[in-house]
Amino acid sequence: MFTKKEVFSIPNLMCYFRILLVPIFVYVYFTAETGQGHLLSAFILLLSSISDFLDGYIARKYNMVTELGKLIDPVADKLTQFVVACVLMYTYPAYSFLVAIIVLKDGMLLFVGWYIYRKKAKHLAQAEMPGKIATAVFFVVSILLIAFNIPHTVIASIMIYTTLVLMILAMIYYGQGLYHLYKED
């Protein structure tokens, strides 16, 4: 199905690495008892974010885009984002709103997108700018909140609700894109 070259390409290895970082992040975050523990879990998330940027950059720059990469990169992205949001709900309860938006947006993209693809053999582009911005802000805010561990503060609330607004705007943008695809002849 996939060639050995595809399976072991550098960008795909970086995707596997990101997926492996997810349970490590969860463990380190929940066992952190000191500021150093929080910094370590923030560093793990930062490392995951950097590898996410690098795998796409390397794949495009060095013509290493693969069909396998097109499958596993979004899985690694969504898995990381969902798990981080779920984990941070315990310290920052407002993250529960982010979890709901993530589930709604990704569920819409998956199920409505699948329906439109079956009916019209068309699909949305991989990632659009509103989604990229919302995701980047989500990870920056998450890393900062983990590193500084500032629950129940005004600044944490502002950061979380700003992220929430950007995520909702991205969801609306993708919803409009799906609607236009559906309405096309």
Side-chain angles (χ1 to χ4, degrees), residues 156-183:
S157 295
I158 290 169
M159 292 167 69
I160 294 166
Y161 288 111
T162 299
T163 306
L164 181 63
V165 168
L166 291 172
M167 293 274 236
I168 290 169
L169 291 173
M171 182 176 72
I172 291 168
Y173 180 85
Y174 286 124
Q176 289 174 331
L178 288 171
Y179 178 77
H180 291 303
L181 270 182
Y182 179 75
K183 286 294 190 184

Side-chain angles (χ1 to χ4, degrees), residues 8-167:
F8 294 105
S9 73
I10 292 169
N12 290 348
L13 290 172
M14 294 175 87
C15 281
Y16 310 146
F17 175 69
R18 283 189 1 247
I19 292 169
L20 289 173
L21 284 178
V22 171
I24 295 168
F25 164 77
V26 171
Y27 175 78
V28 171
Y29 183 83
F30 281 125
T31 59
E33 294 179 4
T34 65
Q36 288 178 331
H38 293 290
L39 287 175
L40 180 57
S41 56
F43 176 76
I44 291 167
L45 190 54
L46 178 64
L47 187 61
S48 176
S49 298
I50 291 169
S51 69
D52 180 23
F53 169 77
L54 286 176
D55 75 30
Y57 175 78
I58 291 168
R60 286 185 297 278
K61 180 165 175 86
Y62 297 102
N63 198 27
M64 299 174 99
V65 175
T66 65
E67 291 304 312
L68 177 60
K70 290 178 187 178
L71 290 172
I72 64 167
D73 183 65
V75 169
D77 293 344
K78 302 304 177 193
L79 175 68
T80 303
Q81 189 177 43
F82 180 72
V83 169
V84 167
C86 287
V87 164
L88 287 179
M89 278 189 332
Y90 290 94
T91 307
Y92 301 95
Y95 261 75
S96 59
F97 298 120
L98 289 171
V99 170
I101 294 301
I102 290 167
V103 169
L104 285 172
K105 178 180 67 78
D106 292 341
M108 173 189 70
L109 288 170
L110 179 64
F111 294 111
V112 176
W114 177 78
Y115 175 80
I116 291 170
Y117 184 78
R118 292 216 359 132
K119 292 285 184 191
K120 300 182 177 238
K122 295 179 182 179
H123 58 84
L124 288 177
Q126 288 287 14
E128 297 288 336
M129 195 53 69
K132 288 181 179 185
I133 291 169
T135 299
V137 169
F138 171 86
F139 281 108
V140 168
V141 165
S142 298
I143 290 165
L144 291 172
L145 292 178
I146 293 165
F148 294 107
N149 193 28
I150 52 171
H152 313 295
T153 62
V154 173
I155 191 70
S157 295
I158 290 169
M159 292 167 69
I160 294 166
Y161 288 111
T162 299
T163 306
L164 181 63
V165 168
L166 291 172
M167 293 274 236

